[in-house]
Amino acid sequence: MTCSACSAGIEKRVGKIEGVEEVSVSLTDRSMTVSFSGEEEKETEIFAAVRDLGYSVFPYGEAPKFSEARNLKRRFFLSLAFLIPLLYFSMGKMLSFPQPVAAISFSVQLVLALAVSVIGRAFYSRGVRALLKGVPNMDSLVALASFSSLCYSVVVTILTFAGKSGYMVFYESSAMVLTLVTLGKFLEEKSKARTGGEIEKLVRLMPQTACVREGEEEKTVPVASVDAGKEVVLRTGDRVPVDGVISFGACFADESTITGENLAVERTVGEKLLSGSRIVSGYAIMKAERSADESTFARIVETVKTAAASKAPVQRVADKIAGVFVPVVSGLALVTFVLWLILSKNVDLAFKYGVSVLVISCPCALGLATPVAVMAAAGKGASVGVLYKDAASLETLSKVNLVLLDKTATVTEGKPEVASFINFGVLPSEEIFRLAYAAEDRSSHPLASCIKAYCGKGKASVDSFEYVVGKGGIAVIEGKTYYIGNAALLPYPTDESAVAANGGTIVYFGDERQLLAYFVIRDTIKEGAKQTVELLTERAIRCVLCTGDKESAARAVGEEIGVQEIRAETMPNEKAEIAKEFKAQGLVVAMTGDGVNDAPALKSADVGIAMGSGTDVAIDSADVVLRSGDIRSLADAIFLAKKTFRVIKGNLFWAFFYNVIAIPVAAGALSSLGVSLTPSISAAAMSLSSLFVVTNALRINGYKKILSEREKTGTIDPESECACEKEFEPNGTEDAEKEEEKMCFKKQPSVVLNVEGMMCEHCSARVEKALSAVPGVTKVKVDLAAKTATVFGSAEKEALVAAVTDAGYKASL
């Protein structure tokens, strides 16, 4: 396939086969996904239909190794070898080079042009076959332009031999069109390979062989033959071929290909090793849990490839245009030829303009605008720890302006620990630890393990233990009754408001008469959670903490990470309703979670983002996966998506703009001003337009982890910024003081207000003016679509709300 018209033609042809339900062809991945009903005969029919159009087709993954770029390079240099002498004969006269008589010159040019046509015969075979099947493509345009130039020139040559001279020949145009388009396709292939470079890096990481142990003997076997249960021997420098559990030895493993974290981790007996990890040091024998095809790394590669091959909704318009592009352009070329023939009475001039229209038009740029960018983003995302499952989720994520954050194991580590211990002095702490450990040793409550870890082992005889659901445990230890649990369990009243205000979970320990002590348990905030929220808020993306935990704990976490909107004590179905509520307000909602309880909200949101450390249910329900479970990857997922769609919009604009401008110029619209294009120049312009689109997509590969870059430099790499960040970019005319002022502004605290009643830009301007007048405000950013105002500075929240209210609008925090 050479252009989007090719892929559209295949989709159209295969889609007409009876029993085919859905067909999608990826130009960049050179793949076709078909859903159909029927047996193997139907698959044979599908393959035959594709081959009938002039393309090769194989089952996925079974295509013979073939370098299209190498083939195009060879064809280009062979064509060039014949084109150079052809140019001598066709243009030598203008440079005063010695030339033979016209008849001989034309004959030599014919031979050389025919040689180039034979070398570039693929354009003819594919183009003509597609034309005859009613699905013309770019090859059809190139073949029409080259063949018509050749035929016209042959007629002129015959007339010259017959003694009728005075006509121009276009042999050099016929040959140059084929040569320059071949060159353009070669450069395009090289650039496309670079856009998919991150994916290829992933694929190349997987070893082809593995060392397995059978009895006392070690054998090297293909990875495909390693099944579950086999023992795999791993030494320093080896890549782990499949997922498994260490049965002997220990090692340090670099799991950066899976988690995105570069720090090696120690793995010992009983611990898991993930496929794709590299053994930095050590020796271990691992028992395989899955085959290579089912391994974690294989699933990651498959997800990335699927995303790269999928189509974004924005591509549909381009595909529809590409489907009718070639017939329309062919009609325009014919109309151009006829009009110029009537107006100028000059066949040579009319023919030149007609062929130029055929050659300069470019369906390739239109078709490549989206898929090359999506492929680059899928690969780059994988390298920074983000898996996009398809192009649609990538597009939706680029528009997100509200993020729902689950608390446990998303914002926090999900590993509660004792933050503080208060002893009322009735018993020594060591005695309380001994008794509490004994009581919790009988409990199955999740918090019991962290109290045991805090107390350490203690010897005490437990006569009996009763667990009271929702309250805690009652233990009889050495003949005396003790209570360990929440306030509802105690037989006497207590005040937990002071501790609850700090967001801790209190576990009381007391006897039958009095409270002896209590433990305050908190979940640790994940590293980077606060910075992530700050960054999203700066970029006018609202963050809402949505958790099933109690209000006090949720508020404490929210204050610590900078989230002001809290939805606490929510059930799984209520989280889904909250997502729907915000969507009904016109917001584009992303839900980030990790557990089974988050699955309904992940599905209900516009885009679901699962932590890679979460449950399989959450990961399956999500559209995007943060592989390492690092909350900082959330910013990368969003800003990489925004960057990708800036590139796509730029590509689409260029593709439309190029064709709208180039076709009239090629048709001679500016000839009165002395501006006209030859078929050769038109061919060069067409090749460059495709190359521009592919090269522009390479900018995505320059994306860097946004928070890592900020930590290193105190600022953000412009190549990592989203569209709304352009306000913060240096424009080349600002002095150092202004730039420093901007950087200081970025670091200031911010408040997000929900503003109701704004209907137009005039309203948002009034709100911005009112807030800017409040003392302590340094900057205001109003988002009319999201109905929010982000205020930077040290102003009081109450003063901000009052200012908006006085302006005639309703504000809330």
Side-chain angles (χ1 to χ4, degrees), residues 108-121:
V108 174
Q109 290 181 53
L110 171 59
V111 172
L112 294 170
L114 284 172
V116 175
S117 296
V118 170
I119 295 167
R121 61 188 177 278

Side-chain angles (χ1 to χ4, degrees), residues 701-716:
N701 285 341
Y703 181 88
K704 298 174 183 175
K705 282 192 170 185
I706 194 163
L707 283 171
S708 298
E709 193 67 14
R710 168 180 270 194
E711 290 166 6
K712 288 178 187 175
T713 64
T715 184
I716 296 174

Side-chain angles (χ1 to χ4, degrees), residues 530-601:
K530 184 177 181 180
Q531 294 92 325
T532 300
V533 170
E534 286 177 351
L535 181 61
L536 294 176
T537 304
E538 283 177 12
R539 304 300 179 261
I541 297 175
R542 286 170 63 186
C543 293
V544 179
L545 191 64
C546 191
T547 175
D549 210 341
K550 59 186 179 182
E551 182 80 19
S552 58
R555 287 283 171 198
V557 171
E559 287 178 10
E560 189 167 347
I561 65 173
V563 175
Q564 296 171 355
E565 294 185 66
I566 309 292
R567 298 292 184 95
E569 300 178 40
T570 56
M571 299 297 287
N573 61 316
E574 291 173 330
K575 288 185 179 181
E577 290 303 317
I578 290 169
K580 292 175 183 177
E581 173 193 327
F582 284 118
K583 284 169 66 177
Q585 296 174 19
L587 298 169
V588 182
V589 180
M591 169 68 193
T592 308
D594 76 301
V596 174
N597 62 324
D598 298 316

Side-chain angles (χ1 to χ4, degrees), residues 644-692:
T644 299
F645 270 82
R646 283 205 315 278
V647 169
I648 287 174
K649 287 174 184 176
N651 280 351
L652 287 172
F653 171 79
W654 166 255
F656 282 110
F657 174 80
Y658 166 81
N659 281 293
V660 167
I661 298 299
I663 291 176
V665 173
L670 302 179
S671 60
S672 60
L673 301 176
V675 178
S676 63
L677 302 177
T678 65
S680 302
I681 295 174
S682 299
M686 187 268 279
S687 298
L688 287 173
S689 69
S690 299
L691 191 61
F692 172 85

